[in-house]
Amino acid sequence: MATIFSPSAILSASSSSSTTISPKSLTPPPSKPQNLPIQSSKPPLTNLTTTLTAVAAAAAVLTTSSLPSLADSPSAAYKIYYGTAASAANYGGYGGNSSKQDSAEYVYDVPDGWKERSVSKVEKGTNGTDSEFYNPKKKAEKEYLTFLSGFRQLAPREVVLNNLALSDVGLLDLIGSADSVTSEETKDEKGQVYYVYEINGVGAHSLISVTCTNNKLYAHFVNAPTPDWRRDEETLRHLHQSFKTVGSF
């Protein structure tokens, strides 16, 4: 796989560019006879109304403060995944996890409830897959990361995407039937370059982020069938944007 890229390719100097590759009023009571005055034992209506209003307001405040919205704490819906990008020869498990935070080379967010798929040594050695998570309710909705060693710089955007597709039949098919394929080069606050791709296919949607650091090329994928993309677009874009290599955040 590593031979399909050109390690000596020159990084573009542009910091940001985009390319397209292929939306009640109360009636007062009648006056009582004045010759029969009666002393009421009940509290005045105004006092009762005031008391009930205060109780209702207090209940509303307590209810609101005790039930915070999930939207107020977006981080509660995700967990951070720490990936080690270990080589197949040194592969002692199935990707990084929170206990390997100190040795992590990259991170990305995973929605609560998603499951991790075990990646075998053979798969890691053939296509570079390092980690993968999926929605158990819809297994085709997933995110995963691949990496390749021996790359100091990124090749041109179209070359990188085409080479990624050569080792991923699903990506190759998606590109071939896509309605549109766009690419963009961006830089983070520390100047690290990322290639961002969005593939809008007839039956599926894919977001890809690629970067090169530590003499490795990392590619993060977020894929979903079109119906799931339409339903979960906000979440899927969050996953896509959460990917970063260690040292760039």
Side-chain angles (χ1 to χ4, degrees), residues 118-244:
S118 295
V119 179
S120 68
K121 277 190 175 183
V122 173
E123 187 176 2
K124 175 184 277 287
T126 55
N127 61 17
T129 301
D130 190 63
S131 59
E132 182 175 322
F133 288 82
Y134 64 92
N135 183 348
K137 297 179 181 179
K138 190 71 174 181
K139 291 186 177 181
E141 188 176 33
K142 60 185 179 180
E143 66 174 324
Y144 61 95
L145 183 135
T146 64
F147 79 95
L148 293 169
S149 300
F151 295 89
R152 293 180 299 173
Q153 294 179 318
L154 290 168
R157 294 200 301 271
E158 289 189 40
V159 173
V160 169
L161 182 60
N162 289 336
N163 286 333
L164 288 173
L166 290 177
S167 62
D168 189 330
V169 176
L171 177 59
L172 184 62
D173 291 343
L174 181 60
I175 294 175
S177 62
D179 291 331
S180 65
V181 179
T182 61
S183 69
E184 182 181 8
E185 178 183 314
T186 65
K187 287 185 179 181
D188 63 17
E189 61 277 7
K190 293 189 176 181
Q192 183 165 327
V193 175
Y194 288 81
Y195 288 174
V196 178
Y197 304 91
E198 182 163 357
I199 306 171
N200 183 17
V202 175
H205 205 98
S206 182
L207 298 172
I208 308 171
S209 182
V210 182
T211 192
C212 193
T213 187
N214 301 322
N215 206 37
K216 294 179 181 179
L217 183 143
Y218 304 83
H220 178 255
F221 300 80
V222 177
N223 298 339
T226 300
D228 301 306
W229 167 260
R230 292 170 179 166
R231 182 194 63 216
D232 301 330
E233 179 178 353
E234 182 178 355
T235 294
L236 297 173
R237 288 195 181 278
H238 173 91
L239 303 183
H240 170 66
Q241 295 166 0
S242 70
F243 164 65
K244 295 182 183 299

Side-chain angles (χ1 to χ4, degrees), residues 17 26 31 40 42 44 52 62 69 89 114 126 132 144 149 231:
S17 59
L26 297 175
S31 301
S40 175
K42 297 181 179 180
L52 292 176
L62 289 174
S69 169
W114 279 35
T126 55
E132 182 175 322
Y144 61 95
S149 300
R231 182 194 63 216

